[in-house]
Amino acid sequence: MSIEKLNRVDLGLFFITIVVLFFIYTYPSVLPQHPKAVHQWRQCDGLSITMMYVHNGLNPFQPEVHNRHGEGKTVAEFPIIYYVNAAIITVIGVRHKDTVTRGMNLMILYLGLFFLFRIGLIVFKNRLLALMPVIFLHSCPIVAYYAASSVPDVAALSFVITGIYFLIEYLIERKEKSFWIALFFTALAGMIKSTILIPYLAFSFVLLLAVITQHEKLKVSFVKLLLLGVPILATLVWVTIAARYNAAHENITFLLSIKPIWGIDRTYIDQISERIKEFWISEYSYLPLMWTIFGLGFLFLIAGSKKVILYKLGLIILLLGSTAYFYLFFEQFYHHDYYAIELLPLLIAFFIAGIWWLSAQLRIPVLKNTLIIGISVLLILNVLSTRKNMIRRYTVDGQWNAYYDIYLDLTPKLRAVGVEFTDKVLVSSDGSPNISLYLLDQLGWTRFPYGLDAEMVEDYKKQGLKYIITREEDLVNRPFLEPYLSDEIIRYGNIRVYRL
């Protein structure tokens, strides 16, 4: 048995779909923009690592951010994407840094969508049905938005989809190369985002059951079964390295632990639940389509025959794993819409299983065509809804944090008065780790993570602090800064820059 090679029609249909969605989601205008809108904080943290690689001569072994807390040395996900971006920026220039970082993540999404399309062709043997999961995934608002950002979750999801495709290819064609490619991509996905391995773990468990039950089609040797643990081992090794690296520098910029529901009080649980229900859930997917997918998935679980029992067990494991993930990181769902990206593999699996099963039951062409048309209409509505979401996030209505934009204009003014990149500054009005410092492209400190007082300013002076960047309102809110603000060198908008 072998997988049919893609023909020109398949390739053409896929690429036309991607190009159309590229323009529908306004990516040509989005790619050159600096990080803004929802979760600007996390976007700037990732971009800060990229730019510090650029400034540090592409040294891969000491990832840093602009914020000098913990000497700036910190890491979370395996920073391979940040490093590649830095290498490209070093060649073509920092003027294009935002286009490079956004474009790289978008290209990785397209890689994942391509192999999701190939999975669909294997399952459905129908190119139109195979396109449906592709359009659905790309049309989830959190995917469309974060795919063109530095947040790594969409890239990790794309890599795990790619890995699962090659594992399927190995099972069908028995090519050794496909097996090792599968391990590479899933290991890469896990090191970037450990929780994205949930669908891979579910798949691996199905293969284990197949060996135990001596399934005819899902045959895997005992050695191969053991090797399936390589991505999990690689992930655990990386998480250990990252935790030790951060601990060695007492840096808490990135989260490397769980935030479970049982770690917060009832009031906060209710607030998070309300926020998800009233605000975030519509950011995850178009609701009529999402509920349809859940319905199709559960229909497959309930009505599917015994012939597909292993696949049903795989879906159940994926459902349980996704549920566990949701409650283990429940606290993060208050501020972080992108945490739901790890839940999307469940929806994709439900979508594929449900459509496959229902289309197989509907043997009358009219009924099958009605199903295809109905799902297509929901997908089109999903695309239009996501387009509105993207436009809202990148227009005035979504720019609730636009007050940071002034720092972009401040950088050339700093350089004009002799402030170098290495001259450490304190941005007293910024409570994030790196937003202002990344936009300024300047080493220094903010109020993250311990706030700010006179004793801390004195400590920063001992560490080389040369300038304080503050806002007019800061002079009222933080009177302890007054003794340091006698030598004003820049006044721009409501920003004041003082030399110590």
Side-chain angles (χ1 to χ4, degrees), residues 292-302 315 349-351 353-354:
T292 300
I293 290 171
F294 272 118
L296 288 172
F298 282 113
L299 190 62
F300 170 77
L301 289 176
I302 295 169
L315 276 183
F350 268 23
F351 195 16

Side-chain angles (χ1 to χ4, degrees), residues 187-476:
L188 189 59
M191 289 189 294
I192 291 174
K193 199 73 178 179
S194 60
T195 48
I196 205 64
L197 287 183
I198 295 171
Y200 175 74
L201 291 173
F203 199 132
S204 299
F205 189 77
V206 169
L207 294 180
L208 174 62
L209 291 177
V211 170
I212 294 172
T213 58
Q214 297 182 334
H215 194 277
E216 293 181 2
K217 294 182 179 180
L218 300 178
K219 292 181 179 180
V220 181
S221 68
F222 181 71
V223 173
K224 287 289 193 299
L225 206 57
L226 289 178
L227 287 172
L228 289 176
V230 168
I232 292 92
L233 180 61
T235 300
L236 291 174
V237 169
W238 172 252
V239 170
T240 301
I241 291 172
R244 289 182 176 179
Y245 184 77
N246 291 338
H249 300 96
E250 298 181 359
N251 205 312
I252 59 172
T253 300
F254 294 106
L255 175 70
L256 287 174
S257 60
I258 61 174
K259 290 284 186 177
I261 191 171
W262 54 85
I264 55 179
D265 59 40
R266 184 71 222 182
T267 301
Y268 197 25
I269 291 173
D270 292 339
Q271 290 174 351
I272 296 171
S273 301
E274 188 68 18
R275 188 172 176 84
I276 292 172
K277 184 175 68 174
E278 297 297 329
F279 185 68
W280 283 141
I281 195 167
S282 61
E283 306 290 310
Y284 301 156
S285 181
Y286 180 61
L287 291 182
L289 178 59
M290 187 170 72
W291 298 130
T292 300
I293 290 171
F294 272 118
L296 288 172
F298 282 113
L299 190 62
F300 170 77
L301 289 176
I302 295 169
S305 68
K306 292 181 179 179
K307 293 181 180 180
V308 293
I309 186 64
L310 284 180
Y311 303 102
K312 291 168 72 172
L313 287 173
L315 276 183
I316 291 171
I317 295 165
L318 181 56
L319 174 61
L320 293 174
S322 300
T323 304
Y325 162 79
F326 178 70
Y327 287 112
L328 284 170
F329 292 90
F330 187 79
E331 184 178 346
Q332 294 299 94
F333 281 84
Y334 186 83
H335 291 292
H336 306 75
D337 60 338
Y338 63 84
Y339 265 70
I341 291 171
E342 274 84 341
L343 299 174
L344 293 178
L346 175 65
L347 281 176
I348 296 169
F350 268 23
F351 195 16
I352 292 174
I355 292 178
W356 173 82
W357 179 81
L358 196 56
S359 61
Q361 305 307 307
L362 300 175
R363 301 182 183 279
I364 302 175
V366 174
L367 295 178
K368 184 175 290 190
N369 291 336
T370 301
L371 169 68
I372 294 174
I373 292 171
I375 298 295
S376 298
V377 169
L378 288 175
L379 286 171
I380 291 170
L381 292 175
N382 192 8
V383 169
L384 296 177
S385 175
T386 299
R387 172 181 166 81
K388 290 180 181 178
N389 186 283
M390 285 288 289
I391 292 173
R392 176 177 57 78
R393 292 192 183 208
Y394 282 100
T395 53
V396 175
D397 291 342
Q399 298 307 300
W400 46 268
N401 51 11
Y403 54 83
Y404 280 109
D405 291 356
I406 195 171
Y407 293 110
L408 289 167
D409 301 328
L410 192 61
T411 303
K413 300 181 184 301
L414 290 172
R415 302 294 179 260
V417 297
V419 180
E420 303 293 337
F421 160 74
T422 52
D423 292 334
K424 296 172 184 176
V425 306
L426 168 63
V427 185
S428 62
S429 59
D430 188 1
S432 77
N434 293 292
I435 295 178
S436 60
L437 296 173
Y438 168 75
L439 296 177
L440 289 167
D441 197 17
Q442 191 74 41
L443 294 182
W445 295 272
T446 63
R447 297 201 318 273
F448 178 90
Y450 304 120
L452 188 64
D453 56 31
E455 184 179 348
M456 295 175 72
V457 177
E458 286 298 315
D459 182 54
Y460 294 152
K461 282 182 65 179
K462 293 175 183 177
Q463 297 181 55
L465 175 64
K466 291 185 177 182
Y467 301 91
I468 292 180
I469 301 175
T470 188
R471 293 175 180 268
E472 288 181 343
E473 56 267 26
D474 248 11
L475 306 183
V476 177

Side-chain angles (χ1 to χ4, degrees), residues 36-292:
K36 55 176 63 176
V38 180
H39 231 294
Q40 184 185 35
W41 177 321
R42 184 60 177 84
Q43 294 181 63
C44 286
D45 288 343
L47 288 164
S48 183
I49 294 177
T50 296
M51 285 309 298
M52 289 304 295
Y53 274 136
V54 173
H55 289 299
N56 291 337
L58 298 178
N59 178 0
F61 300 111
Q62 291 190 324
E64 297 182 37
V65 292
H66 288 80
N67 193 308
R68 294 294 89 188
H69 162 63
E71 299 178 327
K73 291 178 170 57
T74 185
V75 73
E77 59 273 0
F78 185 57
I80 181 64
I81 299 174
Y82 300 143
Y83 189 82
V84 172
N85 287 338
I88 296 172
I89 291 168
T90 300
V91 173
I92 70 174
V94 296
R95 189 162 59 92
H96 304 290
K97 61 183 179 181
D98 293 310
T99 301
V100 169
T101 52
R102 290 180 183 275
M104 177 62 72
N105 265 20
L106 194 58
M107 291 302 294
I108 294 172
L109 169 67
Y110 293 156
L111 174 75
L113 292 178
F114 177 73
F115 286 106
L116 180 60
F117 179 58
R118 297 201 68 177
I119 291 172
L121 288 174
I122 294 171
V123 174
F124 298 120
K125 305 290 191 287
N126 181 305
R127 59 176 65 100
L128 293 178
L129 289 178
L131 267 181
M132 288 185 173
V134 172
I135 296 171
F136 163 70
L137 179 58
H138 196 5
S139 300
C140 294
I142 48 176
V143 171
Y145 176 69
Y146 286 110
S149 78
S150 65
V151 177
D153 296 61
V154 173
L157 172 59
S158 300
F159 285 141
V160 85
I161 290 171
T162 303
I164 287 174
Y165 165 79
F166 278 103
L167 190 53
I168 293 171
E169 184 177 87
Y170 167 75
L171 293 171
I172 294 174
E173 298 191 336
R174 298 296 163 179
K175 293 180 180 178
E176 287 292 313
K177 181 175 72 173
S178 298
F179 183 80
W180 294 109
I181 293 174
L183 294 188
F184 171 78
F185 276 107
T186 47
L188 189 59
M191 289 189 294
I192 291 174
K193 199 73 178 179
S194 60
T195 48
I196 205 64
L197 287 183
I198 295 171
Y200 175 74
L201 291 173
F203 199 132
S204 299
F205 189 77
V206 169
L207 294 180
L208 174 62
L209 291 177
V211 170
I212 294 172
T213 58
Q214 297 182 334
H215 194 277
E216 293 181 2
K217 294 182 179 180
L218 300 178
K219 292 181 179 180
V220 181
S221 68
F222 181 71
V223 173
K224 287 289 193 299
L225 206 57
L226 289 178
L227 287 172
L228 289 176
V230 168
I232 292 92
L233 180 61
T235 300
L236 291 174
V237 169
W238 172 252
V239 170
T240 301
I241 291 172
R244 289 182 176 179
Y245 184 77
N246 291 338
H249 300 96
E250 298 181 359
N251 205 312
I252 59 172
T253 300
F254 294 106
L255 175 70
L256 287 174
S257 60
I258 61 174
K259 290 284 186 177
I261 191 171
W262 54 85
I264 55 179
D265 59 40
R266 184 71 222 182
T267 301
Y268 197 25
I269 291 173
D270 292 339
Q271 290 174 351
I272 296 171
S273 301
E274 188 68 18
R275 188 172 176 84
I276 292 172
K277 184 175 68 174
E278 297 297 329
F279 185 68
W280 283 141
I281 195 167
S282 61
E283 306 290 310
Y284 301 156
S285 181
Y286 180 61
L287 291 182
L289 178 59
M290 187 170 72
W291 298 130
T292 300

